[in-house]
Amino acid sequence: MKTINEMKLSFPSKSRNEAFARAAVAAFIAALDPTVSELSDLKTAVSEAVTNCIVHGYRRTSGTVYLTGKITEDNRVIIKIRDKGVGIADVKQAMEPLFTTAPEEERAGLGFAVMQSFCDRVRVSSKPERGTTVTLEKQIGHE
Ligand SMILES: Nc1ncnc2c1ncn2[C@@H]1O[C@H](COP(=O)(O)OP(=O)(O)OP(=O)(O)O)[C@@H](O)[C@H]1O
Ligand SMILES: [Mg+2]
């Protein structure tokens, strides 16, 4: 499907930038006139993915988080969130609800489950020591 708008952002892995990423994505999709729940679902999914880059990808270090957005002709929003951090050895296991490698930090292991329940499609590609890319797709309104 044809892309009718796109954007690119990058920012340092600081926790305050989680709010920045949410607000930027909200502004990007505003022209689609999303419902309150469509908007809050996508913002929540973006927060989870960006938080994962910060707390897991760049665990104990810092780096750059890359975010791109696309809107297609049929009102699909595609958001990619990428880090060049530690990566994930077993993506299938990482995506299981309640799986976490940071229980001591009181992580619940629910980030991917939240992304999946709030988006139509979630794809994760990752390579250990190279980083992780999460792609979120959501239809806004009708085609
Ligand atoms: N960007 C990433 N880089 C490296 N590892 C990641 C990344 N995102 C997720 N992971 C791994 O996948 C696991 C599951 O992620 P998920 O977001 O579901 O749970 P969590 O972050 O541990 O807990 P919660 O999101 O509930 O606070 C993480 O514990 C971590 O091991
Ligand atoms: Mg998480």
Side-chain angles (χ1 to χ4, degrees), residues 74-92:
D74 60 349
N75 279 12
R76 282 199 149 264
V77 177
I78 302 154
I79 306 287
K80 277 193 192 192
I81 294 141
R82 172 167 157 246
D83 67 66
K84 294 185 178 175
V86 296
I88 302 172
D90 185 341
V91 170
K92 193 165 175 267

Side-chain angles (χ1 to χ4, degrees), residues 20-21 24 50 61 119 128 136:
F20 168 67
V50 170
T61 61
C119 294
L136 307 172

